[in-house]
């Protein structure tokens, strides 16, 4: 079964975010190459060794950069119906590519921007911050090996100025507590990067800058999830019947910044704080506003009221069935009928864990900062089989390239099957669904004449395409 890309897909806030963010991930790759080649001229000793190590590692990230370019193309072609620019092969070509992406977005926003401009600005800011921290981390690692090099010192001064300028630029204005919180974290991370870069270049400063880059990547993941739908917005959409219960669970699992009251145990370690009424209840809050509106019974007048643990949604809902609680209550207030509050009883906790496992794979596969190949190998995908034979389902992207579909949930497989012709549907009815581990699948998929693999080509999970080189890396184990 082969399906073509859907030209009627709507442009969403998350697409605007990715158009602002992903070009920075592509640009970072080409500019890293440019920086390494610049440092290579006349390099000797430790500097030469570090440059060569950097040049050897870049091709390993190349397939991820291709995937970022393909995601941009998918948004431009399938959602904006814009002309696709040529994929960049150098820093100079990237400048033209990035300009074309920006022009396509501006063209789409002329009539009705909605929340697109804010989402685009968020992606652009966190993307620029992550890119700048990565540039500084790489350059400080090189400069630490050549502290007397005038060329390195000159370029280092420019990077310091660019970091300071970005750190002093204003946050994106938003009335969303989650977005404001991430904006504050980005500003703090950039300020820390300015301080680290102000020191003499050494390996400790380079390591600190690399950690800041990772923190900014985490902010990017949190913002992307927030743009897709914060818990507050998602519960509202569910109550308005604009979102299914399963999709609500997915949004809750995707949220990166849950907080819950905690206590310190006898071992001095923090542990979740449970509230016992007729049932054992665990309270969690999706943002700072929800915490400010928490029920009065949470406040005991002691310092314990100020203690909170922060959870990623995936970790929270995976752990929930083991927590020995009867109910998890999301964003509770003193009003038992508050529309933003939702309760999940114990009998739904196993389903939440299942969704969390599926979301964990989607988040790992769609981490634009660093792809986790092992997560894909270890995961069991949904496939169709008959007579001991696997039937690979295909999808084509906007350029007509064929991809084998990877389905992280039964819902994602069903969504793709729903696009089948009547003849194809009759065949599918004779096939059986089953789960197959990626490590078992990928070696055989790598032998097929396809452009690569596509995660959840028809939704409802996140979608991302990977080229044959990525598939070979997955197959090699």
């Amino acid at each position: 079964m082969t399906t073509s890309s859907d030209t009627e897909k709507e442009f969403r806030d998350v697409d605007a975010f990715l158009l602002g963010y992903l070009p920075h991930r592509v640009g970072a790759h080409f500019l890293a190459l440019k920086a390494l080649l610049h440092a290579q001229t006349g390099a000797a000793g430790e500097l030469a060794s570090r440059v060569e190590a950097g040049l050897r590692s870049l091709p390993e990230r190349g397939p991820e950069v291709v995937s970022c370019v393909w995601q941009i193309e998918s948004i431009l072609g399938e959602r904006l119906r814009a002309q696709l620019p040529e994929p960049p092969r150098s820093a100079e070509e990237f400048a033209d590519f990035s300009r074309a992406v920006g022009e396509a977005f501006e063209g789409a926003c002329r009539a009705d921007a909605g929340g697109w401009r804010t989402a685009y600005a968020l992606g652009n800011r966190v993307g620029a911050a992550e890119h700048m921290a990565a540039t500084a981390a790489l350059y400080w690692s090189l400069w630490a090996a050549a502290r007397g090099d005038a060329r390195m010192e000159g370029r280092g001064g420019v990077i310091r100025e660019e970091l300071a300028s970005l750190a002093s630029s204003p946050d994106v204005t938003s009335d969303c507590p989650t977005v404001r919180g991430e904006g504050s974290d980005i500003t703090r991370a950039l300020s820390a990067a300015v301080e680290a870069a102000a020191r003499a270049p050494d390996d400790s400063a380079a390591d600190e800058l690399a950690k800041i880059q990772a923190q900014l990547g985490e902010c990017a993941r949190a913002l992307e999830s927030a743009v897709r739908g914060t818990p507050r917005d998602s519960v509202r959409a569910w109550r308005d019947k604009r979102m299914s219960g399963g999709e609500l669970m997915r949004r809750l699992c995707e949220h990166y910044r849950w907080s819950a009251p905690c206590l310190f145990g006898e071992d001095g370690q923090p542990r979740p704080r449970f509230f016992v009424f007729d049932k054992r209840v665990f309270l969690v809050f999706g943002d700072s506003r929800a915490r400010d509106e928490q029920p009065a019974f949470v406040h005991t007048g002691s310092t314990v009221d100020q203690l909170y643990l922060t959870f990623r949604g995936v970790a929270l809902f995976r752990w929930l069935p083991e927590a020995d609680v009867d109910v998890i209550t999301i964003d509770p207030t003193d009003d038992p009928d508050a529309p933003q509050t939702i309760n999940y009883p114990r009998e739904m906790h196993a389903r939440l864990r299942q969704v969390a496992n599926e979301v964990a794979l989607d988040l790992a596969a769609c981490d634009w900062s660093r792809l986790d190949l092992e997560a894909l190998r270890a995961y069991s995908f949904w496939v169709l089989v008959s007579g001991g034979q696997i039937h690979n389902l295909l999808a084509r992207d906007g350029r007509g390239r064929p991809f084998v579909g990877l389905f992280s949930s039964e819902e994602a497989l069903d969504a793709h099957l729903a696009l089948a012709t009547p003849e194809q549907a009759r065949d599918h009815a004779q096939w059986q669904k089953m789960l197959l581990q990626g490590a078992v699948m990928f070696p055989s998929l790598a032998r097929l004449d396809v452009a690569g693999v596509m995660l959840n080509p028809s939704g409802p999970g996140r979608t991302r395409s990977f080229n044959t080189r990525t598939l070979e890396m997955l197959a090699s184990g």
Side-chain angles (χ1 to χ4, degrees), residues 1-2 380-394 404-407 409-420 423-437 441 444-445:
M1 170 189 168
T2 302
S380 292
F381 296 91
W382 285 87
V383 297
L384 291 176
V385 299
S386 66
Q389 178 184 0
I390 298 175
H391 298 277
N392 294 311
L393 302 181
L394 300 181
V404 175
L406 296 178
F407 303 97
S409 68
E410 188 175 9
E411 290 82 359
L413 175 57
D414 289 342
H416 198 66
L417 292 176
L419 302 176
E423 294 78 9
Q424 291 170 335
R426 283 194 292 270
D427 289 337
H428 300 161
Q430 303 176 48
W431 301 343
Q432 292 183 321
K433 299 175 185 177
M434 66 173 287
L435 291 166
L436 188 62
Q437 190 180 44
M441 291 175 56
S444 61
L445 295 183

Side-chain angles (χ1 to χ4, degrees), residues 105-182:
F105 174 75
E106 287 299 324
C109 285
R110 286 173 188 157
D112 180 14
W116 299 345
R117 288 195 181 277
T118 297
Y120 182 85
L122 288 170
N124 186 52
R125 177 164 173 76
V126 71
E130 186 180 354
H131 181 178
M132 199 69 242
T135 298
L138 171 62
Y139 210 83
W140 257 240
S141 177
L142 299 174
W143 193 6
R147 293 177 60 174
D149 190 312
R151 293 182 309 127
M152 302 292 288
E153 184 173 351
R155 178 58 184 149
V158 172
I159 291 174
R160 283 171 170 154
E161 292 176 0
E162 292 174 344
L163 263 175
S165 176
L166 187 58
S168 64
S169 63
D171 289 342
V172 178
T173 303
S174 174
D175 61 359
C176 172
T178 300
V179 170
R180 289 202 304 271
E182 296 304 322

Side-chain angles (χ1 to χ4, degrees), residues 425-477:
R426 283 194 292 270
D427 289 337
H428 300 161
Q430 303 176 48
W431 301 343
Q432 292 183 321
K433 299 175 185 177
M434 66 173 287
L435 291 166
L436 188 62
Q437 190 180 44
V440 177
M441 291 175 56
F442 293 133
S444 61
L445 295 183
R447 295 192 292 269
L448 298 178
D449 184 18
V450 292
V453 292
M454 185 183 295
L455 179 68
N456 300 328
S458 304
R462 299 189 184 199
T463 298
R464 184 176 183 180
S465 300
F466 302 99
N467 67 2
T468 52
R469 178 59 189 135
T470 307
L471 188 50
E472 290 169 359
M473 294 165 67
L474 288 166
S476 69

Side-chain angles (χ1 to χ4, degrees), residues 183-362:
S184 297
D185 287 348
I186 291 168
T187 298
R188 281 192 292 270
L190 284 170
S191 297
V194 170
E195 293 180 7
R199 305 202 306 261
D202 56 24
D203 287 337
S204 66
D207 289 343
E208 186 172 341
L209 287 164
K211 291 177 182 177
I212 292 169
Q213 176 196 350
Q215 293 168 8
L216 289 165
E218 181 86 353
C219 288
R221 307 288 82 74
L223 280 172
E224 182 184 350
S225 290
V227 169
R228 288 178 181 273
T230 63
R232 180 182 298 275
D233 292 336
S234 299
V235 169
R236 184 183 302 116
W238 173 72
R239 290 196 183 279
D240 293 342
K241 302 188 185 307
R242 293 181 286 110
M243 181 180 290
S244 69
E247 186 63 18
L248 173 60
M249 285 186 177
R250 176 173 290 276
R251 290 287 177 264
L252 300 179
C253 290
E254 286 183 343
H255 188 55
Y256 268 70
R257 311 295 190 200
W258 290 103
S259 61
C262 73
L263 299 166
F264 282 102
E266 295 180 357
D267 58 359
Q269 297 299 311
R271 57 181 176 81
R273 180 182 172 194
F274 302 116
F275 296 84
V276 180
F277 307 101
D278 58 326
K279 296 181 182 296
R280 186 173 167 86
V281 180
F282 182 44
L283 309 181
V284 295
F285 302 94
D287 58 40
S288 59
R289 185 187 304 167
R291 273 175 50 175
D292 291 342
E293 297 171 350
Q294 63 188 276
F297 67 75
V298 177
H299 303 284
T300 64
S302 69
T303 56
V304 73
D305 294 343
Q306 310 303 317
L307 301 177
Y308 291 87
L309 285 171
T310 300
F311 298 85
R312 288 188 184 183
V314 162
L316 171 62
F317 294 109
R318 277 176 158 175
W319 162 78
L320 187 59
E322 302 169 4
D324 189 28
V325 294
D326 297 302
V327 179
I328 181 171
T329 300
I330 293 168
D331 289 350
T333 73
D334 283 319
D335 179 3
D337 299 316
Q340 73 268 29
T341 303
I342 188 169
N343 299 289
Y344 284 110
R346 185 186 292 268
E347 56 266 26
M348 297 185 73
H349 295 177
R351 172 58 179 157
L352 281 166
R353 171 184 274 176
Q354 178 187 341
V355 174
N357 286 334
E358 295 166 357
V359 167
L361 183 279
D362 290 358

Side-chain angles (χ1 to χ4, degrees), residues 43-116:
E46 179 61 19
L47 175 59
S49 297
R50 295 188 180 194
V51 167
E52 290 304 315
L55 290 173
R56 285 195 303 271
S57 68
L58 274 184
E60 297 176 7
R61 299 298 307 279
E64 294 182 48
V65 175
V66 171
S67 180
C68 291
V69 171
W70 284 357
Q71 189 74 12
I72 293 169
E73 289 181 343
S74 174
I75 295 170
L76 292 180
E78 299 174 27
R79 297 189 181 274
L80 287 184
R81 273 76 75 184
Q83 182 176 354
L84 300 184
E86 287 298 313
R89 293 167 296 181
S90 67
E92 291 71 26
E93 290 183 2
F94 166 73
D96 294 334
F97 177 83
S98 181
R99 189 180 308 110
V101 173
E103 290 173 353
F105 174 75
E106 287 299 324
C109 285
R110 286 173 188 157
D112 180 14
W116 299 345

